Amino acid sequence: MIRRGRPADIFAGAPVRPARGLDRKEWFMRKRLWLLAALLLAPSWALAQTGATGTPATDAAAAEGKDLSDYHVEQSIELGYRFSEVNGSGSMFDTFINQHAGPRFLDQTLSMHSLNNDGVLFDDLNVSSFGWGGDPENVGRIGVSKNKWYDFSFLFRRDQNFFDYDLLANPLNPPTSDPNLPVGFSPHEMQIRRRMYDTGLTLMPQSKVTVRLGYTRNRSEGPSFSSFHEGTDPLLDQAWNVTQNDYHFGVDFKMLSKTTLSYDQFLEYDRNDTDYALNPFNVFLLPDGTPVSLGLPINSDAAQPCTPVFRNGFVNTRCNGYFAYTRNQRVRTTTPTESLSLQSTYLKRVNLVARGTYSSADMNSPYAEFFDGLVTRTNERQFTFSGPASARRIAATADFGVTVELTSKINLSDNFRYDNWHMPGTWNSLATATVGTGARVTLLSPLGPTETTMAFIGNFLGQKSFFNLMQVEYLASKHFGVNVGFRFRHRRVFKAEPETVPDPESGLPEFEGDTISVNEYAPVVGVWFRPTSSLRINLEAEATSADNFITRISPRQRQNYRARTSYRPVRWANLAGSLNIWESRNGESDTQFKQHYRNLGFVASLLPKERVGFDVSYNYTNALQQALICFNFSDTVIPVGTVVDGCPTFNADENNNPDHILSTYVNHTHYFMANLMVKPVKQVTAKVGYGLTSVNGTTTLLNPLQPLGPLDFTYHQPLAELSYDVAKYWSLNAYWNYDQYNEGSFVGPTSPRYFHDNRTTLSVKYAF
Amino acid sequence: MHFRIGKLPFLFVPFLLIAASPVQARNVEQTASQSKDSGQYVGSETCKGCHEDIYKAMERTSHYKMGFQPGAPGKGVNCEACHGPGKAHVEGGGDKSKIIVFQNLSMADANKRCLSCHTYGNEHANFTRSAHASNDIGCISCHSPHHAKTEKALLVEKQPQLCYQCHTEVKAEFSRPYRHRVNQGLVQCTDCHNEHGGFLPRQLRTSVAQDQVCFKCHTEKKGPFVYEHLPVETEGCTSCHTPHGSTNPRLLRVSQVNLLCLQCHTLAMSNVPSQPPIGPAHNQAQKYQACTMCHAFIHGSNFSEVFFKP
């Protein structure tokens, strides 16, 4: 029934909120509230997030909240234990999933809202986090605000990034080598923890002058491997240590109606203190008992690191080898950035945005490198490199956007961007090289004289570019619209290096360089249809052509076609489909670069009843990348200057029998996912699901020992969940996940990559 | 930095005195189509009489606070700030033709109502030129003041499920073995894309220094370096990587690194005119099976022209 009358009459007799001025009971209630907030804020944060594999927050115990004092409070917490069993490659499991057994603080949320928007310190408080106790992803969020006065946000993210796909950077030591020493891990393995902190504070958000403060910290650290080439290729311990601190101050002025002028100042400090040292990998003894590392590639057929590798059970003293190696750097980069922007809708029918930024980064880094061993190519027994490097990145950008409502159905918009950056860099190097003594220098040869070399190295890279996109949009009705536009882009790249012979007049090396200019032209068109309120269809197309190219795989022609549709025939059914096609070409006769990415997919979500739900999705991707390449694949030597199928020979010192082929990479990826949710009774929710990623394809075989690896695999991921509301506010939950990764191609001269795992998480959740 | 909530820094007091003046309510702009006659407004408490569920849902949102802005026409105009003055609607017995119903508006008209207030700040400044707006995806496609599932930004669905409803191919990409951890909640779509539009294609954000957004997290790749790997700066990270997810390690475009390198670094008769990269003379079949085993610092180096060292 609709009640007429004045608001006061309608609500006569409605509950009256407590007047200001607290009695003792009220005071203690508020104190308990602050204590509750402090306890939940202090130790850890958990995010109410359903994305984590195997640990989604169930909806079965949805929080209704309670009114405590002057706040409406909703809270949930989920604690549990994960059981994890892995079979097969633990490295692959850690690379893909990395969820091990142990207790878990799975999930936590807290929200407090002032009932009368008159809280003492805040009106709204939101705290949420997930993944504590050992999961590879931990996220915590805090949001606090008080109407008109401030808005504070804090985001913490911790990422345990483990990577060990053993085919990456692997030397693929052949089984025919003597000795046969395959490398069963990736020489670029990583176990890096990244912690990111993002803090933002906005003061007086609704006033004429608003101040914004921000601080961001990004810290990455942890052990990892690297490699290096000099003589042989040693495995290096890479102690990853990278830190970034950003400080931000901004102010918005809203003095004029519907117009904002903003100034932002950013200060960015980057620090890279990653150190390197020789890892004791493939260490064997010389005849005098001295240990020496032979490095990663052990291929006696190719004389890596020498042939024969062993003599009488000891390392061949004429081998390339490492006794010691260290490398230290202290990279410091300071980047102040200023930004001035204007945004206005003051003029009727005109939306205007303009922004200008200027950034100037300064990098300085001392460097020290030490080697002790043998490089047979140069007979060096020791060398050092040192000297400071410095580089700058000076960048200026200008952006402009305007939309003009010509009529109620026609809009004209223009988007312009100018970007100019240049990066000069220099390195003053001091190198010492100590060769061994004797007619045949060996690992046991005494050190001879040391030669010192100093050099000045300079480089320059810069790019000026601008693009402009102009569009006309016609909104025929609420059922149909079309937009047509044209984008033009110009780029000019300049790269320079100093000449080796200094200028006779100045005595300084002059820079010689190359300039490449590229102009791109791209008409764009888009159409959308809404025949009914439940059906939408979008079609877009753009075609780019360029008159030049920067790299061989930079396309000179590019087309993109996109189609999307969504249909909601009834309230409980959502259907969506998409088609996305990218085609790129560079038809130069000696390049013949072709690339395409063709994708087709659909999603269906059905929730006919509250107790039954089903969703399914399928996606197919066809990816291709091909280009003509010249490469060597044998030791056959042909006369220098010979051209074979368009591939010139290199020089007499190297294997120079190039092969000219059309290299190709083709990938077919199928993705399928289905989930079924049922609530047989009100207190019980069950879900079963299945995910599958299947890949197959072909690629040019450059090395017969290289398996297809990631180009031929299946990845099965079934799951199940059960939730039981045992009592008001309490629920018991069980999550099961299974993963199986299986490559179809041969393993190759490294470790197998198959794995399967079972993970079961049991938890209890309390929510109100 | 240390923030002392409740005690404002001395430096900002003058600004605050200006900002806290009664005229600040002018920032709650009314569109031209809305009546400024306070007599046409009935107040949100009246709306609550019939739409109690919707009212209660809105009470916990930031929109509800707008009702406490002094100086706005009428008292408590939360509902009528968006739906227009309600007197005729109430007197018409709930006549829907006498009130603004967003489902009946075109998306462009619905957007105008939202943007009449949400027009300040860089986050929404480019929305009218965005790919979403051009495709008739408007504010109420993703946001709901009354039926939001998230408190922050009042989204109808959480990320990334909200984005997956249209961008179905992206859902499949983030399910691949090598991916940014979007499904795990570590990264959100809006970390890299500005959903309301921006100056760059694909609505990409930039880093603070107007460089690629990838460098916000992957700071060690940012440089500047003495020796730059040219395509990193001129062509972008996506010339070698597929940023959402890939079946290839390190999110590379191809399964074998050597193939990717050789497609640029090939010595041909009419090569790229600028300079190297010439092709390597290495025997690919027998050794040098992994380019990055030697050229380990492929994103840039301060101490090696061929990226052997950092």
Side-chain angles (χ1 to χ4, degrees):
Chain A
M1 184 182 81
I2 299 169
R3 301 168 71 179
R4 301 171 190 268
R6 293 177 300 170
D9 294 336
I10 292 170
F11 291 98
V16 177
R17 299 203 186 283
R20 294 187 65 82
L22 302 175
D23 59 18
R24 196 173 179 78
K25 186 177 178 183
E26 278 283 332
W27 187 84
F28 275 115
M29 280 290 285
R30 288 197 178 188
K31 282 295 182 188
R32 275 164 46 190
L33 216 56
W34 303 135
L35 183 62
L36 173 66
L39 282 173
L40 287 162
L41 281 171
S44 61
W45 327 110
L47 177 69
Q49 183 72 17
T50 59
T53 304
T55 55
T58 177
D59 291 331
E64 297 177 354
K66 296 179 181 176
D67 288 348
L68 301 177
S69 183
D70 287 337
Y71 286 88
H72 181 78
V73 180
E74 294 177 19
Q75 180 190 274
S76 70
I77 184 168
E78 187 173 9
L79 303 172
Y81 191 94
R82 175 174 294 114
F83 302 87
S84 179
E85 176 196 358
V86 182
N87 291 279
S89 172
S91 294
M92 289 299 292
F93 172 78
D94 289 343
T95 300
F96 287 178
I97 300 167
N98 204 14
Q99 288 187 345
H100 293 275
R104 294 287 184 272
F105 194 107
L106 290 167
D107 186 280
Q108 176 258 331
T109 63
L110 167 68
S111 69
M112 298 173 62
H113 302 286
S114 172
L115 294 172
N116 55 8
N117 287 291
D118 196 21
V120 175
L121 290 181
F122 61 86
D123 293 335
D124 298 292
L125 169 73
N126 287 283
V127 180
S128 56
S129 66
F130 71 86
W132 303 95
D135 276 351
E137 295 93 19
N138 311 132
V139 177
R141 287 191 169 90
I142 300 175
V144 191
S145 65
K146 180 156 179 63
N147 187 29
K148 297 188 299 182
W149 291 103
Y150 74 89
D151 192 351
F152 173 77
S153 65
F154 174 72
L155 171 64
F156 170 74
R157 289 178 287 183
R158 177 182 176 273
D159 169 33
Q160 180 74 30
N161 184 11
F162 183 94
F163 177 89
D164 186 15
Y165 184 76
D166 58 25
L167 284 177
L168 186 78
N170 197 301
L172 299 178
N173 293 332
T176 56
S177 172
D178 180 21
N180 176 21
L181 295 171
V183 178
F185 56 91
S186 171
H188 290 179
E189 178 182 327
M190 299 167 67
Q191 296 186 41
I192 292 173
R193 292 175 303 280
R194 180 187 287 124
R195 294 183 179 87
M196 301 183 65
Y197 310 79
D198 294 275
T199 309
L201 175 66
T202 302
L203 299 173
M204 314 299 290
Q206 299 169 25
S207 66
K208 283 182 175 298
V209 179
T210 298
V211 174
R212 290 172 284 109
L213 304 170
Y215 171 66
T216 297
R217 178 176 171 85
N218 185 344
R219 174 121 177 88
S220 299
E221 59 181 340
S224 58
F225 288 148
S226 183
S227 53
F228 170 61
H229 177 71
E230 190 65 60
T232 186
D233 300 61
L235 181 68
L236 303 179
D237 288 324
Q238 179 178 245
W240 198 280
N241 188 351
V242 178
T243 307
Q244 179 187 55
N245 288 294
D246 292 349
Y247 302 91
H248 171 219
F249 166 80
V251 60
D252 301 321
F253 300 95
K254 303 166 204 167
M255 300 302 183
L256 192 61
S257 174
K258 299 185 181 181
T259 300
T260 303
L261 180 67
S262 301
Y263 174 78
D264 290 88
Q265 176 70 56
F266 302 91
L267 293 170
E268 195 172 304
Y269 300 98
D270 299 309
R271 198 172 68 196
N272 188 341
D273 293 338
T274 302
D275 291 330
Y276 301 81
L278 181 68
N279 180 284
F281 179 73
N282 275 349
V283 173
F284 301 96
L285 298 179
L286 291 167
D288 70 346
T290 305
V292 62
S293 172
L294 298 181
L296 290 159
I298 305 293
N299 184 353
S300 59
D301 300 334
Q304 289 179 312
C306 59
T307 189
V309 179
F310 293 108
R311 282 205 170 107
N312 301 318
F314 295 102
V315 173
N316 180 351
T317 57
R318 275 290 294 169
C319 260
N320 291 289
Y322 279 64
F323 294 128
Y325 181 83
T326 60
R327 181 198 295 160
N328 307 102
Q329 59 175 4
R330 293 293 177 263
V331 183
R332 300 288 182 269
T333 308
T334 303
T335 310
T337 303
E338 293 79 40
S339 170
L340 186 66
S341 61
L342 172 73
Q343 187 251 326
S344 178
T345 54
Y346 182 81
L347 297 174
K348 195 176 176 182
R349 297 172 178 263
V350 176
N351 178 303
L352 178 73
V353 178
R355 182 182 68 186
T357 70
Y358 181 81
S359 177
S360 174
D362 277 285
M363 185 282 296
N364 291 283
S365 175
Y367 181 76
E369 181 184 12
F370 170 73
F371 160 81
D372 182 20
L374 175 65
V375 179
T376 59
R377 179 173 53 86
T378 58
N379 287 328
E380 285 176 314
R381 284 271 292 106
Q382 283 185 355
F383 67 72
T384 66
F385 273 103
S386 62
S390 65
R392 301 192 69 196
R393 184 179 191 275
I394 300 107
T397 66
D399 299 289
F400 175 78
V402 63
T403 302
V404 179
E405 193 179 326
L406 298 176
T407 71
S408 61
K409 290 182 183 295
I410 300 177
N411 292 331
L412 174 69
S413 68
D414 192 271
N415 198 2
F416 174 83
R417 179 176 175 91
Y418 171 80
D419 188 4
N420 183 351
W421 55 262
H422 50 273
M423 302 165 80
T426 60
W427 177 28
N428 289 307
S429 72
L430 173 68
T432 66
T434 305
V435 297
T437 58
R440 285 180 84 247
V441 176
T442 71
L443 281 163
L444 298 177
S445 296
L447 300 178
T450 299
E451 182 182 344
T452 302
T453 311
M454 296 175 65
F456 171 83
I457 297 118
N459 257 325
F460 182 91
L461 177 65
Q463 176 176 272
K464 272 187 195 175
S465 69
F466 69 85
F467 79 76
N468 190 79
L469 171 64
M470 178 174 284
Q471 283 185 291
V472 176
E473 189 177 14
Y474 176 58
L475 306 166
S477 69
K478 59 182 283 189
H479 300 290
F480 169 73
V482 62
N483 64 82
V484 179
F486 187 82
R487 183 176 62 239
F488 171 73
R489 183 185 183 197
H490 169 78
R491 291 194 291 161
R492 183 170 175 272
V493 177
F494 179 67
K495 188 175 188 305
E497 295 169 358
E499 292 184 1
T500 54
V501 178
D503 178 74
E505 289 187 10
S506 66
L508 294 173
E510 287 191 335
F511 278 74
E512 63 168 10
D514 294 300
T515 301
I516 305 175
S517 293
V518 181
N519 296 301
E520 297 177 1
Y521 312 87
V524 298
V525 63
V527 179
W528 58 262
F529 305 91
R530 279 189 191 264
T532 69
S533 61
S534 58
L535 175 63
R536 178 176 58 83
I537 302 170
N538 293 87
L539 304 170
E540 293 176 280
E542 63 178 81
T544 306
S545 65
D547 62 3
N548 205 344
F549 52 98
I550 307 288
T551 70
R552 292 181 88 240
I553 62 172
S554 301
R556 292 192 64 173
Q557 293 85 32
R558 185 172 62 233
Q559 294 95 38
N560 184 206
Y561 309 97
R562 290 186 294 273
R564 296 192 196 281
T565 182
S566 66
Y567 181 45
R568 193 167 188 173
V570 291
R571 189 180 58 83
W572 49 266
N574 264 317
L575 308 171
S578 67
L579 174 68
N580 197 353
I581 297 173
W582 281 90
E583 304 282 340
S584 300
R585 301 280 188 277
N586 181 352
E588 295 291 306
S589 59
D590 60 353
T591 304
Q592 293 187 28
F593 169 72
K594 188 194 297 184
Q595 181 187 61
H596 72 231
Y597 185 88
R598 300 167 183 166
N599 179 279
L600 173 70
F602 75 85
V603 175
S605 293
L606 308 171
L607 194 67
K609 299 177 183 178
E610 186 185 329
R611 298 191 174 186
V612 176
F614 177 73
D615 63 272
V616 62
S617 59
Y618 171 77
N619 190 279
Y620 168 70
T621 300
N622 179 323
L624 164 80
Q625 181 159 325
Q626 70 180 31
L628 285 174
I629 62 172
C630 297
F631 76 103
N632 275 334
F633 69 103
S634 76
D635 291 335
T636 305
V637 176
I638 59 177
V640 175
T642 307
V643 177
V644 180
D645 289 337
C647 294
T649 57
F650 300 105
N651 58 67
D653 296 330
E654 303 281 352
N655 304 326
N656 52 358
N657 182 17
D659 194 25
H660 194 217
I661 63 169
L662 183 66
S663 68
T664 303
Y665 170 83
V666 177
N667 177 312
H668 305 280
T669 301
H670 299 267
Y671 169 75
F672 171 79
M673 186 276 297
N675 287 305
L676 173 67
M677 183 275 293
V678 294
K679 287 173 73 81
V681 294
K682 186 180 176 184
Q683 295 84 0
V684 175
T685 305
K687 176 179 169 184
V688 292
Y690 189 86
L692 169 65
T693 303
S694 173
V695 180
N696 64 80
T698 58
T699 186
T700 299
L701 191 64
L702 297 175
N703 186 300
L705 296 174
Q706 177 85 38
L708 289 176
L711 199 50
D712 184 4
F713 74 81
T714 54
Y715 192 28
H716 299 268
Q717 294 182 290
L719 61 93
E721 298 170 15
L722 186 66
S723 176
Y724 175 51
D725 296 342
V726 294
K728 191 177 181 184
Y729 307 141
W730 292 90
S731 66
L732 299 176
N733 309 291
Y735 312 96
W736 172 77
N737 294 85
Y738 177 86
D739 310 273
Q740 182 186 75
Y741 175 83
N742 190 21
E743 290 181 358
S745 178
F746 62 95
V747 173
T750 181
S751 299
R753 289 168 292 281
Y754 167 86
F755 80 91
H756 72 260
D757 73 277
N758 273 288
R759 286 171 291 131
T760 303
T761 306
L762 303 176
S763 74
V764 59
K765 181 172 182 178
Y766 174 71
F768 68 82
Chain B
M1 291 183 94
H2 175 62
F3 297 103
R4 302 174 64 190
I5 296 174
K7 286 193 178 181
L8 298 169
F10 169 79
L11 187 63
F12 300 115
V13 167
F15 288 111
L16 292 171
L17 289 174
I18 295 169
S21 64
V23 296
Q24 72 182 19
R26 201 177 303 157
N27 290 308
V28 181
E29 296 279 358
Q30 301 295 328
T31 61
S33 61
Q34 282 190 300
S35 169
K36 293 190 177 167
D37 180 4
S38 60
Q40 297 297 314
Y41 293 86
V42 296
S44 295
E45 292 294 320
T46 305
C47 309
K48 182 181 178 181
C50 296
H51 305 283
E52 185 167 0
D53 288 345
I54 293 175
Y55 187 90
K56 281 191 174 303
M58 204 184 73
E59 267 183 328
R60 297 171 200 167
T61 71
S62 48
H63 282 140
Y64 183 75
K65 299 178 179 53
M66 301 303 292
F68 294 90
Q69 295 291 335
K75 180 181 178 181
V77 291
N78 286 326
C79 308
E80 292 163 294
C82 297
H83 292 280
K87 183 178 178 184
H89 172 67
V90 171
E91 291 177 348
D95 185 352
K96 288 187 179 179
S97 66
K98 298 288 194 297
I99 197 82
I100 295 173
V101 180
F102 276 75
Q103 282 73 15
N104 296 338
L105 295 178
S106 69
M107 199 61 75
D109 288 338
N111 294 343
K112 281 181 188 174
R113 300 202 68 78
C114 305
L115 290 174
S116 65
C117 291
H118 293 279
T119 194
Y120 302 112
N122 289 320
E123 199 64 20
H124 301 108
N126 288 293
F127 181 72
T128 54
R129 289 172 292 283
S130 68
H132 281 146
S134 299
N135 283 280
D136 201 48
I137 305 298
C139 309
I140 58 174
S141 303
C142 301
H143 301 277
S144 174
H146 307 305
H147 307 291
K149 278 196 176 180
T150 70
E151 289 196 27
K152 184 175 171 61
L154 301 179
L155 298 175
V156 296
E157 183 58 77
K158 296 177 189 174
Q159 288 191 58
Q161 286 75 18
L162 174 62
C163 313
Y164 290 167
Q165 289 176 0
C166 294
H167 299 275
T168 59
E169 76 284 2
V170 176
K171 178 178 181 178
E173 290 170 352
F174 282 123
S175 298
R176 292 174 184 167
Y178 305 95
R179 75 286 182 200
H180 280 107
R181 313 274 175 95
V182 168
N183 291 339
Q184 287 69 37
L186 189 72
V187 182
Q188 292 189 316
C189 307
T190 50
D191 287 339
C192 300
H193 299 273
N194 186 337
E195 64 280 22
H196 302 114
F199 292 108
L200 294 182
R202 308 286 171 261
Q203 302 186 168
L204 280 171
R205 297 184 186 273
T206 63
S207 70
V208 161
Q210 294 298 306
D211 207 338
Q212 297 172 81
V213 67
C214 319
F215 296 141
K216 176 173 162 50
C217 296
H218 302 281
T219 58
E220 70 284 353
K221 311 286 190 296
K222 181 173 55 174
F225 299 104
V226 175
Y227 302 101
E228 291 283 344
H229 192 193
L230 186 144
V232 173
E233 292 294 331
T234 62
E235 309 305 290
C237 306
T238 55
S239 62
C240 296
H241 300 277
T242 52
H244 293 144
S246 174
T247 56
N248 304 312
R250 295 282 208 258
L251 280 74
L252 291 172
R253 288 195 170 275
V254 298
S255 58
Q256 191 181 345
V257 173
N258 285 27
L259 192 69
L260 185 61
C261 305
L262 284 170
Q263 288 189 341
C264 274
H265 294 269
T266 283
L267 184 62
M269 291 305 294
S270 61
N271 208 354
V272 174
S274 58
Q275 71 234 306
I278 61 172
H282 308 321
N283 184 339
Q284 298 284 331
Q286 190 171 43
K287 54 183 182 180
Y288 309 110
Q289 294 86 336
C291 302
T292 52
M293 192 174 70
C294 299
H295 304 276
F297 298 91
I298 204 62
H299 299 98
S301 169
N302 291 320
F303 307 104
S304 171
E305 189 180 16
V306 290
F307 309 118
F308 281 3
K309 309 173 195 180

